[in-house]
Amino acid sequence: MSENVVHLHKNTDPAPVTTLTVVPEPAPTKPAPLWVRSGRAVRTAVTHEHTKTGARALARHTLFVAGGAKIAAKRTWDGRTASRYERMFRAAEAAGNHELAVEWEERGQRYRRDRHQRRMDLLTSPVDAAKGVAVGAGMSVGSLIALGVVMAVATKDASDVFTPLMATVDFINLLITIVRVVWGPALTLGPFLALLALWAVGKHQQAAPAWALPDNVRNGEGEPITPSIVVKALRDLGVSALRTAIKDMGDAGASMLGPIRIAGCGVEVDVTLPSGVSTIEVQNRRRKLAENLTRHEHEVFITIPQAARTVRLWVADSGALDEPIGPSPLVTDDTMTANYAKGRAPWGQDLRGDAAALSLYQRHLLITGLSNQGKTAAMRSLALWLALDKSVQFLMGDLKGVGDWAMFDGLATTLIQGPTDEHVIQVTEMVEGAVDEMNRRLMAPPGTVFPALIVLVDEAQVAFMCPLKDEDGRFYGGSKATSRYFMAVRKIHNQGRAVNVLMWQGTQDPTDQNLPKLVREGAHTRASLALGTESQARMALGDKAVDGGAAPNLLRPGLDQGTLVVASSGIDIPKGQSSITVRTHYVDDDGAEAITDRAKAMRDGVTTLHVIERGEERDPLRDIFSVLGDASRVLTQDVLKRLAALNQDAYGKWSFIDLKRVLDGTGAEPYKSDGRMVVGRDRVARALTNQGDKGSASASE
């Protein structure tokens, strides 16, 4: 019997009153009926993970037998009929390969003719077999009796004549006894052995529904790439014409596939698409194709080989691309040297696991990508290798200025480091100095060989975006004909290669503003790390490479650091492709310093300039006016000679291009007189007057 609990509540009113409240205790809960508890236990047991796993295992192995029987029946049917030839004929016809279709049709007809002949031979085979048995038996008995006669003569016992014959009869009797003993167990075990064989076939082919397979197989983790998987992935790609063509093929699409080849940490296969299906339709569905192949998008690469209507699929092993590659040979081999003209820089590995080496001979270089993806490290590894050729000279501008190139101090002729506008001015003048050196080399006798001069600018987008003007009103940045950095780069791109003056640039997040079209298309070797969009990929590599399957915009920022898509004639690219993907070696700062120390030891000693020295400030337009004298017009060649005589340091390396650059836009541009280019004195005078008026107006403001 439950007890009641009494609670006392004291009222807080001025006249205190105490009240009593009786609260009964809750009645105890009754235990659930036995049948309810039993039902819960059964439900728990049925829904337990071990129960589900066991049920799937039982269903799986049972279905392996049924699947194996189906596969064995199909193989038997193919072996006894002409269905295989029919399938291959229809597949070749659906693929539009009429020559192959005719060949398979001829093979099918030959098979039917031979089969008919075998069946006709069966009509006479019993008689022939009986005759053969009779003749064989007679000859055998005769041989045994002859052997017995020989034995009887030797033993002088007439009973030995039938000894060989009786021994043969006894042996046959023994065989019959053995068969009688074995026949019963064989009949009992035979069905079980047959089921075991069918189970083995089904297990090997995983011939069971997906729900019954183990988790690792059902999820596709590490699943090898087989022809059936590739065909299924293509069939389910969402291209109706492709799905219909595969359905109509007698071999279910197997004839579309070339051999599946092991290629590095993955496999490679060429797929010949049926008529009516474009390669771009497959390229545009890369993610879905990867998922159909139970891979991530970055583990599947689609390129266009030389063969028409064909796509080449490279499928990585699951997780293989997340594994690092080995160290650079520059670090592991301290005896390595470089040869600018004939050697190749060890840059990394391609997706097949083969060494990727790049020739730098007379090739301008452009590397771009998003920030912090390994651009500087990739370009620095090339410069480190080239530094091991003691004839190579470097002019370097690092517009990031955090010390990534500090180890080239004492190795580069010029090394400017810093992100400010003043550093951009210094880098611009450095590149213009390289243009002067290029012009000097171009004036040398034909056949003169010059050492390589590498003009390297990292974070070049800072230079293109610089808003400053010089004293003549010309922008340092920009992409106009009056932009100093842009025009200097363009001049080296146009003529520098012939005299081994090469432009290397590294930029990030390319746009038309920070990487002008003429500059990016002037590079012979174009490489890109991860980018954000396809339009940026086209800026970085060009339309041809992207149309051919290059997709740096599909690389994973932060995860695919150091992975480059390269378009260049200086690297071995598979035939028919326009680009190649390279996983570059990473050389850290300590390794880079060790390599540059070796490079410095190969040289007599290089004094590195960190600031471009400027000479006396001169006004080129005023100097031009002064050398014209009293003549109304002077030939441009004579103007250049007089300027050089006036100041050799300032004008000694001037060419007609420099003279035209100064006069362009002033109204005093060189013009033709009697078929020769001249400079007019009156025009230059008016230009000076206009320049003075502009200066006065600016001062008054």
Side-chain angles (χ1 to χ4, degrees), residues 618-653:
R618 305 193 65 87
D619 185 345
L621 188 61
R622 190 170 299 280
D623 287 343
I624 292 172
F625 180 74
S626 67
V627 301
L628 291 177
D630 297 330
S632 61
R633 57 181 178 271
V634 178
L635 294 173
T636 53
Q637 293 93 332
D638 293 338
V639 173
L640 292 173
K641 291 177 182 177
R642 295 177 187 182
L643 286 172
L646 176 67
N647 191 308
Q648 180 66 30
D649 292 337
Y651 305 116
K653 297 180 180 179

Side-chain angles (χ1 to χ4, degrees), residues 100 115 641 662 699:
L100 187 60
R115 183 181 60 185
K641 291 177 182 177
V662 172

